[in-house]
Amino acid sequence: MRYELSQSFYFEAAHTLRRKIDVEPSLRIHGHTYIAEVTLAGEPDPDSGMLVDLAHLRGHIETLRLALDHRFLDEVADLGPATLENLCAFIWRAMEARYAQQLDCVEVRRQASGDACRLRR
């Protein structure tokens, strides 16, 4: 059997974005509320019955959340332009260091605008 275990978190951050269309509004500093979800998949440990200990997962996510929350994303090292795609990749890399075998999906959403990006294994 294969289980999927997800944990969501949110962060609020500002950024600019250089685009070929709507250049002026994107160049101005603006912010969003982002909702991210990390999904791990696999078989649970036969002794504990858990895929992973949620307390440990939440701890790793909190460290990552603090690196993004109330930040100017243009200044976050190794992020690149603050696109949904780059945020997914940034979160993936941060979580992969600890959950390489189980990391299955990272999703980042901006509910106010209805935008979402999903990165899967």
Side-chain angles (χ1 to χ4, degrees), residues 10-13 62 64-73:
Y10 78 95
F11 59 96
E12 296 178 345
E62 181 61 12
L64 173 59
R65 192 188 74 76
L66 291 174
L68 297 170
D69 191 40
H70 287 84
R71 304 289 179 181
F72 184 48
L73 296 178

Side-chain angles (χ1 to χ4, degrees), residues 41-103:
E43 295 182 26
D45 179 270
D47 295 327
S48 70
M50 295 186 284
L51 182 60
V52 299
D53 187 320
L54 279 173
H56 293 175
L57 178 59
R58 287 184 189 119
H60 287 98
I61 286 175
E62 181 61 12
T63 299
L64 173 59
R65 192 188 74 76
L66 291 174
L68 297 170
D69 191 40
H70 287 84
R71 304 289 179 181
F72 184 48
L73 296 178
D74 296 40
E75 298 174 350
V76 173
D78 301 321
L79 176 61
T83 63
L84 291 173
E85 296 87 347
N86 283 342
L87 283 164
C88 278
F90 180 85
I91 293 168
W92 184 284
R93 289 188 303 270
M95 297 307 294
E96 188 175 40
R98 172 63 180 90
Y99 299 103
Q101 300 300 315
Q102 297 154 314
L103 187 57

